[in-house]
Amino acid sequence: MPHTPKPDENDLDAVPPPQPVFHVEQALLGALLLDPHRLDDVNGIAADSFSTAAHAALYAAISTLPRPDPAEHAKNTTWLDRVLATALEEARGLTASYLHALVQVCPWPRHAPAYARMVEAEHARRRLLTAAERLVHTVHDASLPHPVQTALAEAEALAAVVDDIANRFPPRSGVLPRTPAPPPTAADDTEAVEEEQLLLATATARPDNIDAVRWLLPDDLTLPLHAGLWQCLTTLARRDEPIDPVTVLWEAQQRGLLDDGREPGEVLRMLAEPAGDVVHWAERALRRSLLATAEHTGRRVEAYAGDSANTPFQLVAGARRALADIAAVRTRWQHATGTTPPQQRRAAPATRAGPPTTTAAHAARPTRATR
């Protein structure tokens, strides 16, 4: 006979099992409920470090209520009742039986500091993931009046989270995430293609303006052919050789840009239709490149933070390497526009004892802070 599912069977199967950090949080809360004085040994976390509202409410209650007398606590549940009553104000689903279950599942209350460190590490991963997702969302938000400035501000916010995690978990040299970085998103932008063609044609017609846009690199262009042709133009200009559609076509042939069967006449026609100003089209290309780099950086950090096997040390190393790409494009954008984006780095919350960030570390990275 075919299997007939019981009521709600499919719904139960759809509920994912708790992540390891859920059990770690239970062990930590159980230790603190059993021995409240162990809160003195716990640092680096706050209520929002927990993965569920119930656990966050319990930790907040444990942290704020006066601690009971150890002898009295061993004889009655008065303090536990107060913890439950306080936590119920934020998480109504809590029960007295759950608090007692937490005490039962805690293997060793004296391991509370180790449990807290694990909770802190998982919270760091979630913070990094959230900041990376926000950066990617910003790049795709068409309603923003100043997308470049907003994306750079979100990149600074992401860098602030990375700095804070590094302060809590100093990175170890040579430890990179095991997660492979996602490939760059394939460009499929008709407007970008058309504008890049105008850039190439206008630079061919007005080669004296090429030197004014030295901040534009071949990799800033979306198509390999366009990148190759821009390299041809900048090379000819640097050599002070004649530039026109024919000389650019010949240089393209020398570089193998026509090896894919592209018709020479097609390239000549593209280079023979200038319009507008070289600087204008170059800035448009660099703007797209900056936003594309910001998106790829965000997706790289998303991939790293989305892999729970990566340690905080690995996350810091991988995120900083990804953020370096934005810093490089941002510097060229400032040269192109003659502006310095205002610093809008968000302050990362600090819960570990001692200063939340290292002032010397920020001073040693003036490029990130000002560019």
Side-chain angles (χ1 to χ4, degrees), residues 57-231:
L58 281 173
Y59 185 80
I62 293 170
S63 303
T64 55
L65 286 174
R67 299 175 199 177
D69 176 80
E72 289 296 321
H73 185 56
K75 293 188 297 183
N76 58 60
T77 63
T78 303
W79 187 75
L80 292 180
D81 295 338
R82 291 176 181 170
V83 169
L84 178 59
T86 303
L88 279 172
E89 297 176 5
E90 300 295 333
R92 296 187 177 182
L94 284 169
T95 63
S97 61
Y98 186 64
L99 268 65
H100 289 286
L102 292 176
V103 173
Q104 295 298 320
V105 300
C106 177
W108 295 99
R110 66 173 179 269
H111 292 171
Y115 301 150
R117 189 65 164 163
M118 297 172 193
V119 171
E120 183 182 12
E122 183 64 16
H123 182 227
R125 189 177 68 83
R126 292 197 304 271
R127 289 174 59 205
L128 194 62
L129 182 60
T130 299
E133 289 174 343
R134 192 162 49 236
L135 175 58
V136 173
H137 173 75
T138 298
V139 172
H140 291 281
D141 189 349
S143 66
L144 294 174
H146 305 289
V148 170
Q149 291 84 343
T150 306
L152 290 176
E154 290 297 343
E156 287 291 340
L158 174 58
V161 174
V162 174
D163 286 347
D164 185 63
I165 296 173
N167 185 57
R168 300 164 185 271
F169 299 87
R172 299 167 181 167
S173 60
V175 181
L176 291 173
R178 67 164 198 171
T179 313
T185 304
D188 186 17
D189 188 339
T190 302
E191 181 182 45
V193 171
E194 292 175 350
E195 290 185 358
E196 290 175 7
Q197 290 176 347
L198 290 172
L199 166 68
L200 295 168
T202 306
T204 301
R206 305 179 183 91
D208 290 344
N209 293 332
I210 294 176
D211 189 59
V213 294
R214 287 181 295 175
W215 33 259
L216 186 69
L217 301 181
D219 287 345
D220 292 323
L221 305 187
T222 58
L223 297 182
L225 175 64
H226 293 175
L229 290 174
W230 182 250
Q231 192 166 26

Side-chain angles (χ1 to χ4, degrees), residues 240-297:
D240 198 23
E241 296 184 9
I243 295 178
D244 61 37
V246 174
T247 61
V248 175
L249 176 65
W250 185 257
E251 183 71 18
Q253 175 181 271
Q254 304 302 305
R255 294 176 177 271
L257 299 181
L258 308 181
D259 291 350
D260 61 355
R262 188 174 298 274
E263 292 290 336
E266 179 185 350
V267 176
L268 287 174
R269 286 190 295 273
M270 178 178 66
L271 296 177
E273 299 179 358
D277 177 67
V278 171
V279 174
H280 170 75
W281 299 125
E283 282 189 9
R284 295 279 297 177
L286 183 58
R287 175 182 179 275
R288 272 189 300 271
S289 178
L290 188 151
L291 292 175
T293 302
E295 179 188 18
H296 186 51
T297 295

